[in-house]
Amino acid sequence: MTMSDDDILAPRRSRSGSSRATCSGTETRGPIIDQDGREIRSETLQQGFREFGFELGKDNPFAGSPFGNLTREQRIARIEAIAKLLDVAFILPGTNIRYGIDGLIGLIPVVGDIITTAISLWLVREARALGAPWYITTRMLGNVALDGVVGMVPFAGDAFDVMFRANMRNVRLLRRWLDKQPRI
């Protein structure tokens, strides 16, 4: 079924005689048309939503967490990936110096350092959620605090961010502790 130009330009009149369309969920505005001009039945559309998991009800396994239920190894891999992105994602051309978005975002005075410190604190929280003891998280918090405080100094702090790599240090601390733990 294709629509004529008159249907596109002039809205259809409802059965009650009024030409005004309502926005309530019980009354439809007209057929849903795909990009080729064919009508899509509402049953097909609802089936598509169920297939792609757009329902956010209690039956959806991903409703409680935006990341889903991750295993311990997946969480560790995510922490390592974020730390690498923050500290060693790029290489300065012509040198062997690695830097990450921590150094780039840190170039924005005050706000950049607050953002990167918040991300670093989230990594410490994830390590604590993985079961890291207080002495490991205390050292991790010390690294984040040192990185955040010194990073506030214009330019010299950004150079310190590139060289100190607090997030990679924290991942190394966490990994060493995890390697000593018995596997279950």
Side-chain angles (χ1 to χ4, degrees), residues 158-171:
D158 298 320
F160 179 78
D161 278 344
V162 169
M163 297 308 198
F164 185 63
R165 300 177 184 157
N167 299 299
M168 291 302 294
R169 287 174 185 256
N170 288 343
V171 166

Side-chain angles (χ1 to χ4, degrees), residues 95-114:
T95 67
N96 225 3
I97 299 172
R98 299 187 71 86
Y99 64 98
I101 62 171
D102 186 4
L104 296 175
I105 295 173
L107 291 173
I108 302 169
V110 182
V111 175
D113 294 308
I114 290 171

